[in-house]
Amino acid sequence: MDFQPADEQRALRDGARELLAARFGRDRLRAAVDDPTLDRALWRELGDAGFFALRLPEAVGGVGLGLPEAVLVFEETGRALLPGPLVACQLLAGLVDGVATGEKIVGLCDAVTGPGGGAAGPVLWEHPADCDELISVQGAEASVESVGGALAGEASVAETGRGRVAMAYRSVAARVSRAPFASVDPLTPLARVTDVPCTAPLALDVPRLRREAALLTAAQQLGSAARTVDMAVAYARERAQFGAPIGSFQAIKHLCAQMLVRAETARCAVYAASITGCAREVTGAKMLADHAAVWNARDCLQVHGGMGFTWEADVHLHLKRAWLRAERWGTACDAEEVLAADLVACGGGL
């Protein structure tokens, strides 16, 4: 199986990179750090370019592409550190009117049920003040088959032998109760959702939604990991010490080489998962991409030395965004449990 992008896919990726460089360059990035309110004009420009309608059928005004192409575009959004609920708008463009064109912004919250029946952790909402609507996913993971009638949009919540089935609800943003929540990423304001009116269930394949959200988030992590490799290498070539570029020193060479290996390993996993759509491979890809994004940003900061710790350098923005994304749609601990259970189930246990 060939996982290399085709010529058309490379052209799509290059076009997305050029568009983001023109519309969200470094000046706009730094302006967003000071004021993280989303730029509605930019959002409509993204809608006009087909960012959110990428996977909608052409018959309804979409671009008619698939998940592998969406992964390539989201890799570029991660590379550019583009803020906003991009994953939510991409996944829900066909459900909420106005999202595909960028006229509306929709948020997406996931409240996975914990062992005690409540949410496993705080339910966080990105850019709450900018969203027109919120889609809330509640309940434990379940197979598509076990959801049964719930997928048809029934108001009642289906039950299975494993507990409550995940359901999705649609709410007007103003009716959702929330509390302030400190965000590590200055580009991503957060709120903790305290109560959601569960009166408008959505006919939604929740397991698939969670799987694709994890994969698109992994693609953003991959883009950030690749960008920090470029930043570290460029700085290592430019910065001189003892009369030579610091990139000529073995310690710096090793750091940059390790960063490249992490990024390319994650790229293989993310691209492969976008083709197969397999839940196990998406889980592995998210774990590898999280690791690459976080550790590449840390090593990039080391290559920059004291400069990397300053507010003016962009390195810390990549690290903070990577930390935030690593906690969304499955953490490394979650992935380890899932993959270990899968190995045991396949007879790979001791």
Side-chain angles (χ1 to χ4, degrees):
M1 186 177 291
D2 184 7
F3 292 125
Q4 291 294 325
D7 291 342
E8 295 80 5
Q9 292 173 320
R10 289 194 184 94
L12 174 68
R13 180 186 60 196
D14 295 344
R17 184 175 299 185
E18 291 172 7
L19 175 69
L20 291 173
R23 300 289 188 271
F24 193 75
R26 189 169 188 277
D27 290 343
R28 292 189 75 162
L29 171 67
R30 300 308 300 197
V33 172
D34 297 330
D35 179 8
T37 303
L38 293 181
D39 183 343
R40 290 275 181 167
L42 173 62
W43 213 258
R44 284 190 288 272
E45 287 184 59
L46 294 176
D48 291 341
F51 261 65
F52 308 122
L54 201 64
R55 294 196 297 146
L56 293 181
E58 293 182 63
V60 296
V63 183
L65 298 177
L67 193 56
E69 287 79 15
V71 160
L72 294 174
V73 171
F74 270 69
E75 181 182 343
E76 295 307 316
T77 67
R79 185 181 181 87
L81 276 179
L82 185 66
L86 297 160
V87 171
C89 289
Q90 160 65 209
L91 295 177
L92 302 168
L95 287 175
V96 181
D97 291 342
V99 171
T101 58
E103 294 297 324
K104 278 190 175 182
I105 299 175
V106 64
L108 180 61
C109 291
D110 189 16
V112 176
T113 303
V123 182
L124 301 181
W125 181 6
E126 292 183 26
H127 293 268
D130 295 302
C131 291
D132 301 293
E133 293 194 29
L134 175 68
I135 306 301
S136 172
V137 178
Q138 303 181 13
E141 281 285 10
S143 66
V144 175
E145 291 75 18
S146 68
V147 179
L151 281 177
E154 295 176 356
S156 61
V157 177
E159 300 285 338
T160 72
R162 287 186 295 167
R164 190 172 177 171
V165 168
M167 290 288 293
Y169 298 91
R170 179 176 180 174
S171 305
V172 176
R175 294 183 180 176
V176 179
S177 299
R178 57 186 185 263
F181 192 91
S183 175
V184 68
D185 178 13
L187 290 156
T188 310
L190 292 175
R192 182 171 61 85
V193 175
T194 56
D195 187 40
V196 179
C198 301
T199 54
L202 270 178
L204 204 57
D205 183 343
V206 173
R208 179 178 175 181
L209 177 82
R210 283 173 164 157
R211 191 166 63 244
E212 292 183 352
L215 183 59
L216 294 178
T217 304
Q220 291 179 306
Q221 293 283 59
L222 169 61
S224 179
R227 174 63 181 145
T228 48
V229 174
D230 294 345
M231 292 167 66
V233 170
Y235 189 77
R237 286 174 172 162
E238 172 190 325
R239 179 81 167 93
Q241 191 64 268
F242 307 115
I246 61 172
S248 63
F249 303 147
Q250 193 174 51
I252 300 296
K253 287 180 181 177
H254 284 182
L255 275 181
C256 293
Q258 288 165 355
M259 292 171 67
L260 181 62
V261 169
R262 286 191 207 108
E264 292 307 308
T265 303
R267 186 187 307 281
C268 293
V270 171
Y271 286 5
S274 73
I275 293 173
T276 66
C278 170
R280 179 179 62 249
E281 293 177 11
V282 169
T283 300
K286 174 70 165 48
M287 183 173 67
L288 288 170
D290 286 343
H291 179 75
V294 171
W295 281 96
N296 276 15
R298 292 173 69 111
D299 283 351
C300 183
L301 196 147
Q302 291 297 321
V303 171
H304 278 70
M307 185 65 194
F309 287 87
T310 63
W311 188 256
E312 289 72 20
D314 294 341
V315 184
H316 71 99
L317 298 176
H318 280 276
L319 180 57
K320 291 168 181 172
R321 185 71 66 84
W323 278 335
L324 184 66
R325 289 190 188 122
E327 297 299 317
R328 305 301 309 275
W329 305 109
T331 65
C333 291
D334 297 334
E336 288 168 358
E337 293 292 335
V338 169
L339 295 175
D342 189 71
L343 279 174
V344 171
C346 293
L350 296 176

